[in-house]
Amino acid sequence: MILLQLAINGVLLGGVLALSALGFNIVFGVMRVVNLAHGDFVVLAAVFAAFGFAQFGVNPLLLLPLTIVAGFAAGALIHHVLLRRLPGEVASAEASSLTLTFGLSYFLTGAGLAAFGGRFVSVPYLTGAFRVGEVSVPQARLLAFVVAVVLSLGFALLLRSTALGRAIRATSQNLDGALACGVDVDRVRTLAFAIGTAVATAAGTLMSFLYNLNAQQGVLFTVNAFAVVVIGGLGNYTGAVIGALILGLTESFASYFMGATLAEAAPYLLFILVLLFAPGGLRGRRAA
Amino acid sequence: MKRAAVPLAVLAIIALLLAPLRLNGYAINLLYVTVLSIALAYGWNIISGYAGYFSFGQIAFFGVGAYATALIVVNLHWYWMAAALAGGVLALALAIPLGYVMLRLRGPFFAMGMFGMAQMVRVLVTAVPATGSGSGLFLPPGSGITEVYYWTLAICLGAIALTVWIDRSAFGLRLQALREDEQVAATLGVETTRAKITAFGLSALIPGLLGGGYALFLTYIEPDAVFSSRLDLQSIVMAILGGLGTVWGPLIGGLVMTQISEALWARFPQIYLMIFGGLLVVLLIALPRGIVPALAARFARRSGA
Amino acid sequence: MPQMRKRRRVVLQAWHMSAPLLVVEDVSLAFGGVQALNGVSLEVREGEIFALIGPNGAGKTTLFNVISGVLRPDGGDVRFAGRSILGWAPHRIARAGVARTYQIVRPFGRLSVVDNVAVGALVHARTIGQARNDARDVVGFVGLGAYADRPASSLTLTQRKRLEVARALALRPKLLLLDEVMAGLTPTEMDGMAEFVQHLSERGIAAIAGIEHVMRLVMRISHRIVVLDAGRRIAEGDPAAIQTDPAVIEAYLGAPLAGAG
Ligand SMILES: Nc1ncnc2c1ncn2[C@@H]1O[C@H](COP(=O)(O)OP(=O)(O)OP(=O)(O)O)[C@@H](O)[C@H]1O
Ligand SMILES: [Mg+2]
């Protein structure tokens, strides 16, 4: 029974991790940028939602549209003002985008600490649980999972059936080809980064049901997203969902069987092993 | 300019050697932390600046050095500098097999892989009872800040000398070639694996040696203090700001950064991190290659005209 | 015609007398579903100018990648100077005397032109100073003397092509693999490069194996040609024979339409 319970917890967590990772993945896929500030967007939204709930009793689900719009606007702005200006030389582009998002990450952490303080907060929302036999399904986790799945499906629909989605996928697969077909790559990149941050802030709002957080925990979510995407294969969207489930299950089982301290190492261990032994992700296809 | 450099450097070193005789406690602490982060920046600059392998995990070797020193001093009662030396050697010994494995990863994969590695080391240290299980270790009091300062200064000067040598050596040329294009370097006869691992080892030895001094400086160590992401961040930013893969980048970047950092800490403790991160972003846009290359370019343009 | 045949015999005699420097034997390599190389065999002899030609995507660059150790073939063997070099690391193959250039130029952008070349020169030089001196000579030799101390990123495409050759030459190779060094050059520059290649071969500096699309030059300077198409070797011979080979003509004109025959 405990195994089933752990599996359910893992899957529910995996759903939210998948949403967060999709945001990270689109940015990498389109721009080849590892966004080290990704987790900070997640955490900032979570802390913001907790703040709204505690101060004004705003239902975090109502905040969701707001955080999504804010995330989108912030992402578009950051790309337009900063990322776009990085030098394009191949050898240093990677290093400078890492450095830039690294600085951005500290900026956001600092901003979050200044605005919301360092206290760990969460949203005490739907604290009950459904009982099915001996298994309990926490309502908040279930809700977060369902919303995450809905948003992920919306994201998939956007990628599959809109002109923008096609342009994004084309750019992810082959930059030169996309350029040759007249895709406005700069615009696609701006939108991809904006969507990436919007997805991150959406995931963060849901994370506020699941975790006690302060603005300094962003790194955790960057690493999670990176781990998910590495497991699933960079730029591979279905892979990311599978990766998220694997990571969710790993965290759930590890914290039960290994204790909280050692379990903290589990995602790191998992992703280093995948990096070393299956460099293209578990679903094959080597990264170039 | 070149001719003025040598006497200037000699004067600076003499001043740094005499500093503890003149400075008060606060100032000497500040000087120690400055020298420490510059030395860390020099260590990071070898693997990340010269070889182009961005590491977000070199602080692990600093932590290993600190814990090794603390454990040796507490349990074996060695003189601390001997223990710190052993800590550095341990970091180097760990780095060679680790580098062999991790340096197969490239770009962001290596950067994040090393970050994950450092986190795992931190968690392991927290979980092992011999290290005080995360609640920390006390060191016997006795060695003053002056000793720690001289130790750190010696390593910092050593790291600078090492970098000067690398910059002019065949080894340094090989590192820069593989940074630009590893496959091409290999087909031009560069034994890339060996060069990378050597660079990685040196970039572990330096923080490994520094860690012991830091343990003594704190007199009490715990995982979060020695696997300090703040120190790690600071040294990385210094090297980037000054100019990645340049001899004087970490020093110039370090001096500029500590000035800014001190001023910010004192004036805006609340939004220190925010300004700090913002500044890094702005500087990167304004001087994408760092201060030293920007100055060099300006100097070249002026003397060329 | 008789004159032609005579020349051909002379060349072939010379070929049989010299020792094989590079032997590629039955090499195959697939990328996923694409069979880039399918049982390719060929030989390059000492002092020879050998050309590898074939339509786009034939597998020519892939074969160079296999020879230089960048890719490991699925099957077959590569021997250089009598020893199998299969599975050797690229740096070891380079040091053994096989140098290559890249079709899409890949300079070390932030290093100076001299330092780009000195990397290869380090293999023989005892000190870095000596490597830089040797590099300067080679840089002058390929006509980049005036740019020696500029960063390689400031070079034009033509100059970058020369830099590719200079870096490879600095290794003092016995075999030089040139991957489309003519592409993008003006006709005059091409003639210059052709002369340069002939000079290398005649002076016994290195055997040349070149991938080339510029047929005018291939036919003029190469001693022997192998034609690849879709990963297979479809022809081998001297320029005259290749020009009239029906399989080669078909490969270049495209396969007959499906269903047409
Ligand atoms: N790294 C790779 N991954 C996947 N497929 C590859 C790779 N390199 C080459 N190919 C494929 O292998 C085939 C042979 O490519 P190769 O570059 O060797 O051709 P080529 O003869 O050099 O052509 P060109 O004249 O255009 O340079 C092509 O179908 C190409 O798409
Ligand atoms: Mg080719």
Side-chain angles (χ1 to χ4, degrees):
Chain A
M1 248 333 119
I2 185 67
L3 293 183
L4 182 62
Q5 178 70 58
L6 290 174
I8 288 174
N9 291 352
V11 169
L12 293 182
L13 176 61
V16 186
L17 290 180
L19 182 62
S20 154
L22 287 176
F24 185 86
N25 213 4
I26 191 175
V27 171
F28 185 86
V30 171
M31 305 168 59
R32 295 291 180 270
V33 164
V34 167
N35 181 10
L36 295 178
H38 176 81
D40 298 284
F41 285 107
V42 173
V43 170
L44 220 52
V47 175
F48 174 71
F51 176 80
F53 189 80
Q55 295 290 313
F56 309 107
V58 188
N59 183 323
L61 285 187
L62 290 179
L63 279 181
L64 202 51
L66 180 65
T67 50
I68 290 177
V69 169
F72 189 91
L77 190 73
I78 287 168
H79 184 269
H80 193 74
V81 177
L82 302 175
L83 278 166
R84 210 165 48 100
R85 306 203 174 183
L86 286 181
E89 307 159 44
V90 182
S92 65
E94 204 165 64
S96 49
S97 70
L98 270 180
T99 318
L100 192 139
T101 57
F102 186 61
L104 192 60
S105 160
Y106 274 84
F107 177 79
L108 293 174
T109 304
L113 284 178
F116 304 110
R119 238 164 19 91
F120 281 79
V121 290
S122 69
V123 175
Y125 176 63
L126 291 178
T127 46
F130 296 117
R131 295 211 136 266
V132 185
E134 285 173 52
V135 178
S136 82
V137 181
Q139 290 173 2
R141 278 179 181 249
L142 185 63
L143 178 68
F145 176 79
V146 170
V147 176
V149 169
V150 169
L151 288 174
S152 303
L153 288 177
F155 180 84
L157 210 65
L158 176 84
L159 278 190
R160 279 196 191 284
S161 352
T162 63
L164 171 64
R166 275 191 293 278
I168 284 175
R169 280 186 299 147
T171 317
S172 303
Q173 269 150 27
N174 184 342
L175 176 63
D176 294 331
L179 278 170
C181 298
V183 172
D184 180 350
V185 170
D186 193 46
R187 187 173 144 269
V188 169
R189 285 185 174 161
T190 306
L191 287 170
F193 197 79
I195 293 172
T197 49
V199 171
T201 49
T205 313
L206 301 175
M207 293 288 183
S208 68
F209 305 176
L210 271 60
Y211 288 105
N212 257 320
L213 294 170
N214 77 1
Q216 281 171 304
Q217 306 304 305
V219 161
L220 214 66
F221 292 93
T222 304
V223 171
N224 270 338
F226 191 83
V228 163
V229 165
V230 164
I231 296 168
L234 274 164
N236 180 333
Y237 298 102
T238 358
V241 174
I242 296 172
L245 289 178
I246 294 177
L247 188 68
L249 290 169
T250 309
E251 289 204 1
S252 165
F253 280 86
S255 60
Y256 181 78
F257 288 108
M258 294 161 61
T261 314
L262 270 181
E264 218 190 301
Y268 301 117
L269 184 62
L270 187 67
F271 98 69
I272 289 174
L273 289 179
V274 172
L275 275 178
L276 291 174
F277 295 108
L282 292 180
R283 295 185 79 239
R285 237 194 74 186
R286 295 179 73 87
Chain B
M1 220 183 93
K2 279 264 149 70
R3 211 166 290 165
V6 174
L8 212 68
V10 172
L11 275 181
I13 292 171
I14 292 174
L16 284 166
L17 285 173
L18 296 179
L21 306 178
R22 282 277 168 192
L23 294 175
N24 63 21
Y26 174 77
I28 183 82
N29 278 6
L30 177 61
L31 190 61
Y32 163 67
V33 174
T34 306
V35 174
L36 171 66
S37 14
I38 291 175
L40 283 171
Y42 271 99
W44 187 81
N45 192 38
I46 298 173
I47 185 66
S48 302
Y50 280 92
Y53 275 72
F54 254 55
S55 169
F56 290 135
Q58 294 309 103
I59 202 70
F61 298 108
F62 184 72
V64 163
Y67 264 96
T69 305
L71 286 171
I72 293 175
V73 167
V74 169
N75 296 314
L76 306 177
H77 314 289
W78 288 15
Y79 175 54
W80 78 266
M81 283 194 197
L85 193 65
V89 172
L90 177 66
L92 176 63
L94 289 174
I96 289 167
L98 187 69
Y100 192 79
V101 174
M102 296 301 287
L103 288 163
R104 291 176 201 188
L105 303 173
R106 298 226 176 132
F109 298 93
F110 176 77
M112 294 300 281
M114 279 307 298
F115 177 79
M117 199 52 90
Q119 296 305 316
M120 279 204 324
V121 173
R122 182 181 56 81
V123 172
L124 283 181
V125 165
T126 313
V128 172
T131 55
S133 297
S135 52
L137 277 175
F138 282 95
L139 283 110
S143 326
I145 173 78
T146 317
E147 270 180 44
V148 172
Y149 168 76
Y150 281 128
W151 170 257
T152 307
L153 182 62
I155 294 164
C156 186
L157 294 175
I160 295 177
L162 178 67
T163 306
V164 169
W165 174 78
I166 288 176
D167 196 69
R168 295 174 177 183
S169 69
F171 172 60
L173 182 59
R174 292 191 178 104
L175 289 184
Q176 295 180 65
L178 78 87
R179 170 188 74 200
E180 299 292 307
D181 192 323
E182 196 162 334
Q183 185 189 322
V184 173
T187 53
L188 288 176
V190 175
E191 206 173 337
T192 50
T193 310
R194 193 166 118 184
K196 284 190 294 188
I197 292 177
T198 310
F200 189 67
L202 293 173
S203 281
L205 175 67
I206 292 167
L209 290 169
L210 293 165
Y214 197 59
L216 265 286
F217 170 72
L218 294 178
T219 67
Y220 163 76
I221 63 170
E222 49 161 354
D224 286 345
V226 294
F227 294 98
S228 156
S229 43
R230 179 159 175 233
L231 266 180
D232 202 18
L233 156 82
Q234 191 150 318
S235 56
I236 291 173
V237 172
M238 284 175 175
I240 293 170
L241 177 62
L244 270 172
T246 61
V247 174
W248 302 109
L251 179 65
I252 304 288
L255 292 176
V256 171
M257 273 271 314
T258 24
Q259 290 311 308
I260 296 175
S261 176
E262 268 310 300
L264 289 179
W265 250 132
R267 251 173 265 171
F268 312 102
Q270 297 299 317
I271 51 171
Y272 162 75
L273 258 186
M274 193 173 138
I275 303 184
F276 192 78
L279 206 66
L280 175 58
V281 170
V282 170
L283 278 168
L284 193 73
I285 300 285
L287 302 173
R289 289 172 171 203
I291 299 174
V292 169
L295 286 179
R298 170 158 300 189
F299 189 74
R301 218 177 305 137
R302 203 168 287 167
S303 65
Chain C
M1 276 310 266
Q3 195 191 354
M4 182 93 113
R5 202 164 291 147
K6 191 171 155 207
R7 204 183 103 200
R8 185 174 163 191
R9 200 167 53 232
V10 172
V11 170
L12 282 179
Q13 258 171 13
W15 183 65
H16 283 296
M17 281 178 336
S18 58
L21 187 60
L22 176 81
V23 179
V24 170
E25 204 173 84
D26 199 23
V27 162
S28 294
L29 177 65
F31 294 111
V34 181
Q35 191 69 42
L37 293 174
N38 198 342
V40 174
S41 299
L42 54 81
E43 281 183 21
V44 181
R45 305 238 154 190
E46 263 161 30
E48 168 172 58
I49 298 181
F50 169 91
L52 186 62
I53 66 171
N56 289 111
K60 306 179 296 291
T61 298
T62 305
L63 185 61
F64 273 17
N65 281 333
V66 167
I67 297 169
S68 58
V70 171
L71 291 174
R72 215 190 157 130
D74 301 330
D77 194 14
V78 181
R79 285 194 298 280
F80 179 71
R83 280 189 298 178
S84 172
I85 56 170
L86 200 68
W88 283 23
H91 70 86
R92 202 169 152 212
I93 295 175
R95 289 176 183 195
V98 183
R100 68 168 293 180
T101 67
Y102 287 85
Q103 180 178 356
I104 300 167
V105 292
R106 290 162 77 168
F108 301 132
R110 282 177 287 184
L111 302 190
S112 69
V113 169
V114 163
D115 278 357
N116 265 266
V117 179
V119 172
L122 277 174
V123 168
H124 301 286
R126 232 173 282 117
T127 65
I128 181 149
Q130 196 189 332
R132 288 205 170 104
N133 279 341
D134 294 354
R136 248 171 232 286
D137 291 345
V138 181
V139 167
F141 187 59
V142 301
L144 288 177
Y147 307 91
D149 296 307
R150 305 237 182 122
S153 59
S154 68
L155 297 183
T156 65
L157 177 67
T158 322
Q159 292 165 343
R160 288 174 194 217
K161 292 250 171 198
R162 285 170 186 271
L163 178 60
E164 285 285 334
V165 178
R167 286 197 305 200
L169 279 178
L171 282 168
R172 296 192 203 146
K174 298 192 193 82
L175 174 65
L176 183 56
L177 307 172
L178 300 173
D179 196 347
E180 299 200 21
V181 284
M182 305 280 187
L185 303 193
T186 66
T188 338
E189 287 168 342
M190 280 185 198
D191 288 332
M193 186 68 91
E195 215 168 281
F196 179 70
V197 165
Q198 276 180 311
H199 172 84
L200 290 178
S201 146
E202 277 159 18
R203 291 275 207 83
I205 296 175
I208 310 288
I211 294 176
E212 211 43 75
H213 279 306
V214 186
M215 287 309 144
R216 176 175 68 86
L217 293 172
V218 171
M219 297 306 163
R220 198 177 83 206
I221 69 172
S222 49
H223 302 145
R224 214 160 42 80
I225 301 173
V226 159
V227 188
L228 284 188
D229 182 29
R232 285 177 190 281
R233 190 178 96 163
I234 58 168
E236 176 185 0
D238 65 17
I242 292 297
Q243 270 168 317
T244 52
D245 189 309
V248 177
I249 293 167
E250 188 182 297
Y252 271 92
L253 296 181
L257 285 176

